[in-house]
């Protein structure tokens, strides 16, 4: 049973490498943007 699991793991690894070779590496999710507070009061006075 352990042999079958090792073979399946190798097949998954080969499939992943094949997909990466054809389509490029896995797309990483974009980092969530952090809102930056802007002090708008100084612009209104001018």
């Amino acid at each position: 049973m352990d042999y079958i699991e090792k073979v399946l793991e190798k097949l998954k690894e080969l499939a992943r490498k094949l997909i990466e070779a054809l389509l490029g590496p896995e797309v990483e999710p974009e980092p969530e943007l952090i809102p930056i507070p802007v002090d708008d009061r100084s612009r209104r006075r001018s």
Side-chain angles (χ1 to χ4, degrees):
M1 198 65 168
D2 193 40
Y3 176 75
I4 295 173
E5 290 175 3
K6 287 181 182 179
V7 170
L8 287 174
E9 190 62 37
K10 289 288 184 182
L11 285 174
K12 286 180 190 177
E13 188 177 322
L14 287 172
R16 183 180 50 79
K17 287 181 181 179
L18 179 63
I19 291 171
E20 283 184 6
L22 294 174
L23 304 176
E26 287 186 25
V27 178
E28 294 181 14
E30 292 184 21
E32 191 171 323
L33 297 177
I34 301 171
I36 301 173
V38 177
D39 188 11
D40 225 11
R41 290 177 281 185
S42 60
R43 290 183 183 174
R44 291 179 189 165
R45 293 180 185 162
S46 301

